[in-house]
Amino acid sequence: MKERDSVGSERSRAKRNRPASVTSPVSVWKEKENVGGNIVDTGVVILRTSGCRHFSDGGCSMCGYNVESRDGISEADLAAQFKNASARLDDIEFLKVYTSGSFLDDRETPNGIRELILRWCADRGLRLLVESRAQFVTDDVMNALTGIHGDLEIAIGLESANDRVLKYAINKNMTVADYDRAATAVKKAGASLRSYVLLKPPFLTEAEAVEDALATAKHAALQSDTISVNPVNVQKGTLVELLWRNWAYRPPWLWSVMEVLNSCTALDRKIVCEPTGGGKERGAHNCGSCDAYLLDAIRERSISQNRKDIETLECECKGMWESVVELEGLVADGTVDLQRMFRSRTH
Ligand SMILES: [Zn+2]
C-alpha cells in the first residue's frame, strides 16, 4: 500500500461519490517528495481500471483497493481519465500513476495508455512512478517502457522476504524469487526500483512483524533505490478486517514503525513511510496522546530524508508496547490485541 499516503481518506471520499463515471479518475492530488535531494511538487493520479488480476484469486489479506475497480473500462475511458487528471496537475516535476493493481498488466492498462502516459511525462521532463505486481515485470516490457521514457521508477510490492509469510499471511501469490527476477529486470533496463515492505501482516506478533520488516528491507536494499515501509491498515472487506473485528489483529504500534525506520537508516537507501490511517484504530497507532507527534516526525523524515534517528518523546504507552513485544507470543497462541483488551476491561 502501498505508499498510499493520504489515499485512505481520498479513497473514502471517492467512494461516497458513487456511481463514479468510468471517464473520471478515482483521485488526483499533489504532494511533496524528495527526488535526488530536492523536495519537488509531485502529482498523484489513481486511475480506475478493471482491477488487480490477483483479486480473482482471493487477493492479498490486507488489500481492499479493488472497491474502486469496474468491469468494462475501455482504453478510451482510461485516456479520458488521464486527460481529466493531467489537466489538474500543473507545475509538477514528478508524477505517480496508481491503478489499485498493476500498471504493467495489459488487461488493466493497455499498451496504448502506457505509451500515452510515458510520452506525456517525456514531453514535460517529468519523472514517472508506476506500480506493478512482479509477474508483469519482464525484460521486454521494461525495455519498451524505458525506450519511450528513461526517467522511470517501478514500484513492486515485495511485502515480505519470507516465502511462508508471503504465502500464508499475505496470500501474495508470489515468491521472493519472483520479486528478485522482476527487480533485476527493472535495474537492467536502467529504471529506478522502489520496493514496498509490509509492516505487520496478520498472524505475526508485534515482535515478529518488526523482525520480518527489517529482514525484508534488508533484502529489498540489495536492488532497490527506494524502500517504502508500509504499516498495515485495516481496509474494508479484507481478511485483516475480519480478524480485527474479532480482536485477533492490531495494526502496528507507531513505536514499531519508528524502530523499523531507525534501523533502516543503516541500509543507506531512500526510505519513505506514510502510515495510512495513522493514529486511528484502523491504522498504525499508539495510545492517542503521542500519535500526532510521532506521525509528524515520520512524515517529516520521509520528505527531508534526514538520516538521524527520529527523536522519541517519552510516553507512558512505550512501556506497554515493550511488554506487548516481549509477552505477546507467550500469552496467546497467535496474535491478539492486548491493548484493546486491557482498555475494555478497565473501563
Ligand atoms: Zn503514547
Side-chain angles (χ1 to χ4, degrees):
M1 197 163 7
K2 318 207 149 177
E3 183 205 1
R4 289 291 174 123
D5 346 24
S6 50
V7 185
S9 55
E10 295 284 341
R11 283 166 181 247
S12 342
R13 208 174 308 147
K15 263 172 72 183
R16 279 198 297 275
N17 292 339
R18 282 177 175 184
S21 160
V22 290
T23 56
S24 302
V26 173
S27 201
V28 182
W29 73 91
K30 278 167 101 171
E31 61 186 26
K32 301 278 185 194
E33 170 108 10
N34 189 315
V35 179
N38 300 314
I39 296 168
V40 303
D41 286 319
T42 301
V44 185
V45 176
I46 301 179
L47 296 176
R48 192 182 315 281
T49 67
S50 57
C52 181
R53 184 100 61 121
H54 178 43
F55 196 75
S56 51
D57 309 323
C60 293
S61 60
M62 71 297 176
C63 181
Y65 287 135
N66 219 61
V67 292
E68 287 142 6
S69 308
R70 293 284 181 284
D71 287 333
I73 291 186
S74 68
E75 189 165 337
D77 293 335
L78 286 165
Q81 286 185 34
F82 186 69
K83 192 176 172 195
N84 172 325
S86 55
R88 290 145 69 183
L89 294 171
D90 48 359
D91 296 329
I92 55 168
E93 291 177 52
F94 186 18
L95 177 65
K96 299 175 180 173
V97 177
Y98 300 133
T99 67
S100 305
S102 294
F103 188 79
L104 303 192
D105 179 358
D106 291 333
R107 200 173 78 178
E108 253 194 87
T109 321
N111 196 39
I113 296 300
R114 295 207 285 260
E115 284 190 22
L116 171 85
I117 294 172
L118 284 159
R119 288 192 204 288
W120 192 84
C121 291
D123 289 348
R124 289 160 182 78
L126 305 183
R127 182 186 190 86
L128 173 66
L129 177 143
V130 295
E131 302 175 318
S132 182
R133 283 177 59 81
Q135 71 197 83
F136 303 112
V137 183
T138 62
D139 287 335
D140 287 350
V141 169
M142 283 310 306
N143 289 334
L145 299 179
T146 52
I148 298 170
H149 184 42
D151 196 1
L152 183 64
E153 184 169 348
I154 306 290
I156 301 176
L158 167 59
E159 321 301 1
S160 172
N162 179 325
D163 277 332
R164 291 181 64 222
V165 172
L166 285 174
K167 184 170 182 182
Y168 297 111
I170 305 177
N171 190 38
K172 182 82 183 176
N173 200 16
M174 176 194 90
T175 62
V176 178
D178 295 332
Y179 161 85
D180 288 343
R181 184 201 45 73
T184 303
V186 171
K187 299 308 294 176
K188 224 165 89 184
S192 179
L193 175 65
R194 176 175 303 218
S195 296
Y196 296 144
V197 171
L198 196 65
L199 175 57
K200 208 169 176 194
F203 312 118
L204 272 65
T205 62
E206 194 78 15
E208 288 166 344
V210 168
E211 198 184 322
D212 184 67
L214 286 175
T216 305
K218 203 171 159 192
H219 185 88
L222 296 173
Q223 301 204 71
S224 305
D225 304 276
T226 300
I227 295 170
S228 174
V229 175
N230 301 319
V232 167
N233 65 103
V234 180
Q235 298 179 3
K236 289 203 182 349
T238 59
L239 173 66
V240 163
E241 187 186 48
L242 188 69
L243 294 166
W244 177 75
R245 286 194 184 283
N246 288 285
W247 292 24
Y249 181 78
R250 184 206 191 278
W253 289 71
L254 289 167
W255 296 122
S256 300
V257 178
M258 295 205 9
E259 181 162 315
V260 170
L261 293 178
N262 287 339
S263 299
C264 279
T265 304
L267 298 173
D268 197 25
R269 293 288 180 276
K270 178 176 161 184
I271 309 286
V272 295
C273 179
E274 178 83 37
T276 304
K280 304 204 172 83
E281 206 67 45
R282 281 177 177 262
H285 64 275
N286 278 355
C287 65
S289 50
C290 61
D291 297 48
Y293 174 91
L294 292 176
L295 284 164
D296 280 351
I298 289 167
R299 290 191 187 113
E300 193 281 326
R301 190 185 194 272
S302 281
I303 293 177
S304 68
Q305 288 301 304
N306 186 335
R307 298 283 174 95
K308 277 197 315 209
D309 276 8
I310 294 172
E311 293 277 331
T312 62
L313 81 172
E314 286 308 312
C315 183
E316 283 178 9
C317 75
K318 196 167 186 184
M320 183 182 265
W321 169 72
E322 283 164 351
S323 304
V324 167
V325 166
E326 200 181 319
L327 299 172
E328 191 181 18
L330 301 176
V331 298
D333 183 18
T335 59
V336 290
D337 185 348
L338 290 176
Q339 185 200 13
R340 199 146 52 119
M341 192 180 287
F342 288 144
R343 202 168 47 216
S344 66
R345 292 255 168 98
T346 51
H347 281 188

